[in-house]
Amino acid sequence: WPRVVRKGGKCLRAEKEGEFEGTALRWLDAGFGFIQPDNAPTDGSAELFAHCKGFVGGNMLAEGLRVKYDTEWDADKKRYKATNVSGPGVVWEEEYRGGRGGGGW
């Protein structure tokens, strides 16, 4: 798992970039979102959960932009999740929202 720097309960950064590619689908202000892997069905069955603890170079997903990521098996959820998420689709919340902030995590 990548090292995560946290300040005031917010996710700040991890230190490794991912190997797979996809598109950031949606972001929830609770600190997580979903990624559509390349070459996967678009019916929602292949979407990967992504938490801000696993982001490199930002703390939220910008919907519709490209990302790179690794996958890790989540034994509790019995499915894969995205880790080490990086690329244009990983942004800093303060910069992306023009300093307005937003999330409650």
Side-chain angles (χ1 to χ4, degrees):
W1 188 259
R3 184 173 77 87
V4 174
V5 177
R6 297 179 66 82
K7 181 177 181 182
K10 291 191 175 186
C11 298
L12 296 180
R13 72 168 188 226
E15 294 184 336
K16 182 185 169 194
E17 294 187 358
E19 302 296 326
F20 300 103
E21 294 187 20
T23 303
L25 284 181
R26 61 187 175 282
W27 177 252
L28 296 118
D29 285 336
F32 65 89
F34 296 89
I35 295 170
Q36 173 66 44
D38 285 353
N39 303 317
T42 57
D43 62 1
S45 63
E47 292 178 9
L48 288 173
F49 174 85
H51 192 274
C52 66
K53 290 189 298 184
F55 294 172
V56 178
N59 63 356
M60 70 174 285
L61 292 176
E63 297 171 4
L65 296 182
R66 304 287 298 158
V67 294
K68 290 185 177 185
Y69 60 91
D70 289 324
T71 59
E72 180 179 287
W73 181 253
D74 185 330
D76 293 333
K77 304 278 185 192
K78 295 183 171 61
R79 65 181 188 174
Y80 284 96
K81 63 182 177 181
T83 62
N84 304 320
V85 184
S86 65
V90 177
V91 297
W92 291 105
E93 178 182 22
E94 296 80 14
E95 295 171 10
Y96 185 71
R97 295 187 177 175
R100 293 187 309 255
W105 37 271

